[in-house]
Amino acid sequence: TTVYLAGQVADDPSQDVAGQTRQILASIDRLLDEAGSDKTRILSATIYLAEIGAFAQMNSVWDTWVPRGHTPARATVEATLAAPAYKVEIQAVAALR
């Protein structure tokens, strides 16, 4: 069985890309836990950046968060997000524990 997380955005979009990414990943941790899963069970993730030039900022936070040996398949693309304040949006699919 799988858990599908809709695109997650920062609660405080006034943060920079790294700050928004940290908030989103914390939300993903919480949502996966509520669903009976965790980040070691993520099968795939799609990351949307308002500006692809911010990839390194986002990726440094991602690399710190994702557990070694549990890196999911991932795509990162530049996209126009729902509101100009949003710099990052992350969608994920995970297996249940």
Side-chain angles (χ1 to χ4, degrees):
T1 305
T2 51
V3 178
Y4 296 90
L5 297 184
Q8 301 298 305
V9 295
D11 291 331
D12 178 6
S14 70
Q15 297 287 310
D16 65 3
V17 169
Q20 287 193 26
T21 302
R22 280 186 206 90
Q23 290 177 50
I24 294 165
L25 296 176
S27 292
I28 289 173
D29 279 333
R30 180 182 48 78
L31 291 168
L32 289 174
D33 183 61
E34 289 174 8
S37 188
D38 61 58
K39 63 186 170 186
T40 67
R41 310 282 295 169
I42 295 176
L43 303 171
S44 68
T46 304
I47 301 174
Y48 303 95
L49 294 173
E51 295 182 24
I52 200 68
F55 179 85
Q57 289 180 45
M58 174 282 301
N59 201 52
S60 67
V61 176
W62 173 271
D63 283 346
T64 301
W65 176 77
V66 73
R68 175 176 249 149
H70 296 281
T71 305
R74 182 184 86 173
T76 304
V77 297
E78 183 176 76
T80 302
L81 302 181
Y86 293 128
K87 296 172 175 62
V88 183
E89 182 173 338
I90 302 176
Q91 178 181 8
V93 177
L96 288 175
R97 290 185 200 138

